[in-house]
């Protein structure tokens, strides 16, 4: 199955949020993704999210992730335990050659899982793609847009492809085909 990459110029401005004092995500320190047995998300890689707020001098000060952390939970009325933890925001830009796959619909996620199936004995074979195989095939990132997260987050995680647990729009870097933005 042929997947179409997103033009990197169409990716919204993104940033990496980290705790104060944690260095920005330099590509030389990138940790390769690994499939996990019981999650539809991989281990490692680099998780970024769209910028939602800017300072007066043009640096990002908020992301979809930090916004999600601040949003009160429907049951408890409290923000995430992570709220206030991720205060250092580092702008990230894709390199022009980055191959990014956009998940904007349920069909997009279905095609991704079909194109990169996990082994039949893998517990997440119906839910998640083989992230390591995506890397081997030359893909650099996956961008789950707000629409992609909304339409896929509630799909039943052990039966059909799902983004359950992807809390907000995200760019998952599978390979270090990005640079830290200079603002």
């Amino acid at each position: 199955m042929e997947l179409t990459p997103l033009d990197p110029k169409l990716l919204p401005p993104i940033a990496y949020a980290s705790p104060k004092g944690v260095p920005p995500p330099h590509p030389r320190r990138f940790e390769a993704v690994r499939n996990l047995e019981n999650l539809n998300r991989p281990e490692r890689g680099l998780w970024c999210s769209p910028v939602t707020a800017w300072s007066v001098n043009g640096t990002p000060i908020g992301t979809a992730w930090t916004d999600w952390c601040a949003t009160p939970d429907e049951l408890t009325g409290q923000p995430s335990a992570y709220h206030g933890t991720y205060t250092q925001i580092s702008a990230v830009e894709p390199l022009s050659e980055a191959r990014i796959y956009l998940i904007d619909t349920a069909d997009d996620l279905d095609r991704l899982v079909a194109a990169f199936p996990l082994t039949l004995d893998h517990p997440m074979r119906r839910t998640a793609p083989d992230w390591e195989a995506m890397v081997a095939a030359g893909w650099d990132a996956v961008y789950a847009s707000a629409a992609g997260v909304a339409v896929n987050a509630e799909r039943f995680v052990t039966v059909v492809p799902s983004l359950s647990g992807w809390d907000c729009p995200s760019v998952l870097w599978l390979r270090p085909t990005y640079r830290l933005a200079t603002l």
Side-chain angles (χ1 to χ4, degrees), residues 63-128:
T63 68
W65 168 248
T66 58
D67 293 351
W68 180 87
C69 290
T71 303
D73 180 86
E74 291 179 12
L75 296 176
T76 66
Q78 299 297 310
S80 164
Y82 298 118
H83 178 57
T85 303
Y86 296 90
T87 58
Q88 183 170 307
I89 311 291
S90 303
V92 174
E93 296 175 340
L95 297 180
S96 61
E97 68 271 13
R99 290 185 69 214
I100 303 166
Y101 183 72
L102 172 64
I103 300 173
D104 204 39
T105 67
D107 286 342
D108 293 335
L109 182 58
D110 292 348
R111 280 192 296 277
L112 180 62
V113 172
F116 296 101
L118 288 161
T119 60
L120 290 176
D121 62 337
H122 196 285
M124 302 308 287
R125 71 183 177 278
R126 292 183 193 98
T127 299

Side-chain angles (χ1 to χ4, degrees), residues 10-182:
L10 298 177
L11 190 66
I14 61 170
Y16 175 76
S18 61
K20 187 174 183 171
V22 173
H26 197 282
R28 287 188 304 248
R29 292 190 297 272
F30 186 83
E31 295 184 56
V33 295
R34 281 189 1 187
N35 295 325
L36 290 173
E37 188 167 315
N38 292 309
L39 281 177
N40 58 349
R41 299 168 15 146
E43 182 176 46
R44 300 188 184 123
L46 179 72
W47 291 85
C48 296
S49 57
V51 175
T52 58
W54 302 88
S55 71
V56 293
N57 67 355
T59 59
I61 56 172
T63 68
W65 168 248
T66 58
D67 293 351
W68 180 87
C69 290
T71 303
D73 180 86
E74 291 179 12
L75 296 176
T76 66
Q78 299 297 310
S80 164
Y82 298 118
H83 178 57
T85 303
Y86 296 90
T87 58
Q88 183 170 307
I89 311 291
S90 303
V92 174
E93 296 175 340
L95 297 180
S96 61
E97 68 271 13
R99 290 185 69 214
I100 303 166
Y101 183 72
L102 172 64
I103 300 173
D104 204 39
T105 67
D107 286 342
D108 293 335
L109 182 58
D110 292 348
R111 280 192 296 277
L112 180 62
V113 172
F116 296 101
L118 288 161
T119 60
L120 290 176
D121 62 337
H122 196 285
M124 302 308 287
R125 71 183 177 278
R126 292 183 193 98
T127 299
D130 184 333
W131 301 106
E132 295 169 28
M134 281 190 75
V135 171
W139 286 92
D140 299 301
V142 172
Y143 169 40
S145 69
V149 171
V151 75
N152 287 298
E154 300 300 320
R155 294 175 85 189
F156 195 65
V157 74
T158 58
V159 178
V160 295
S162 174
L163 293 182
S164 176
W166 293 51
D167 302 315
C168 64
S170 304
V171 176
L172 167 60
W173 289 99
L174 305 170
R175 301 188 322 168
T177 314
Y178 60 87
R179 69 175 157 266
L180 298 176
T182 53

